[in-house]
Amino acid sequence: DWVETLASYYADQTVGGVGGFVQHPGNRRLSTRILRPILGLSAHRYRIDWGGFHAIPWASHPERDQDADWLSGCNMSFRRVALEDVRGFDEGYGDYGYDDVDVGLRIRRAGWRLVSTRRLSVRHNPSGVNRASLPDLVQAEEARRVRFVRRAIGHRRGWRLRYLARF
């Protein structure tokens, strides 16, 4: 019933995108549940913080629907005109990572609402096949993060200091 549930949100003409909670099986260890919130990598909603980092509701999603700063790439949808308003996804992010956060930020800045709902929960079980080596993955991830942070907070004074402090 994912499509039927999703479609009802678009009756509101201010909604530019709808997504849901993404469960990450295998990441339920106590250390993960404790460290992610402390490090600011987890939140109660999909948000972008003061340092330009994006946080994800890692352990659970509140019962009530909520406005979001971005939507997770493996469980998101957008109104076509909202995507057209921002010229779609930025291919500069490459094959994986931050393109979902970036398009959400741009859609919100264009005046659209993004809604996240628990009713559209999915499980994300990423494949280990054809993954880059850890050093390559970390280097590429950081390059994408800096690109996104510049777009998110690069217009603010001292954005580099904010990024470094947050990092």
Side-chain angles (χ1 to χ4, degrees):
D1 67 343
W2 192 86
V3 173
E4 293 82 14
T5 301
L6 175 77
S8 66
Y9 287 91
Y10 287 107
D12 179 344
Q13 296 299 308
T14 66
V15 172
V18 181
F21 179 61
V22 179
Q23 298 172 12
H24 296 272
N27 289 304
R28 300 290 297 168
R29 294 185 311 265
L30 181 61
S31 60
T32 301
R33 292 192 321 253
I34 291 172
L35 284 177
R36 283 192 171 277
I38 290 171
L39 295 174
L41 300 173
S42 184
H44 294 292
R45 70 181 186 91
Y46 290 88
R47 69 179 180 85
I48 299 169
D49 69 17
W50 59 271
F53 282 53
H54 68 294
I56 185 171
W58 201 263
S60 66
H61 189 289
E63 290 292 328
R64 294 181 343 159
D65 295 349
Q66 55 187 307
D67 284 345
D69 292 342
W70 65 284
L71 300 169
S72 180
C74 56
N75 193 11
M76 66 182 181
S77 68
F78 297 104
R79 186 181 299 271
R80 174 185 232 142
V81 68
L83 274 177
E84 290 170 350
D85 279 353
V86 301
R87 296 189 180 108
F89 289 88
D90 182 345
E91 294 179 8
Y93 287 98
D95 295 337
Y96 172 78
Y98 289 91
D99 54 334
D100 52 352
V101 186
D102 174 74
V103 78
L105 172 71
R106 290 185 291 121
I107 286 173
R108 285 195 56 247
R109 284 184 175 167
W112 296 95
R113 283 182 56 225
L114 298 179
V115 178
S116 176
T117 179
R118 185 182 195 129
R119 295 173 53 209
L120 295 172
S121 291
V122 299
R123 286 181 168 231
H124 184 234
N125 297 298
S127 171
V129 176
N130 296 327
R131 292 283 180 165
S133 68
L134 187 57
D136 291 342
L137 183 67
V138 169
Q139 182 180 10
E141 178 81 2
E142 192 54 31
R144 288 188 298 269
R145 181 190 337 264
V146 170
R147 179 185 178 94
F148 174 74
V149 169
R150 286 186 71 175
R151 183 166 277 164
I153 66 170
H155 60 285
R156 296 182 183 162
R157 287 185 67 201
W159 77 267
R160 287 180 179 90
L161 290 175
R162 285 174 177 253
Y163 169 72
L164 289 173
R166 176 63 178 84
F167 188 70

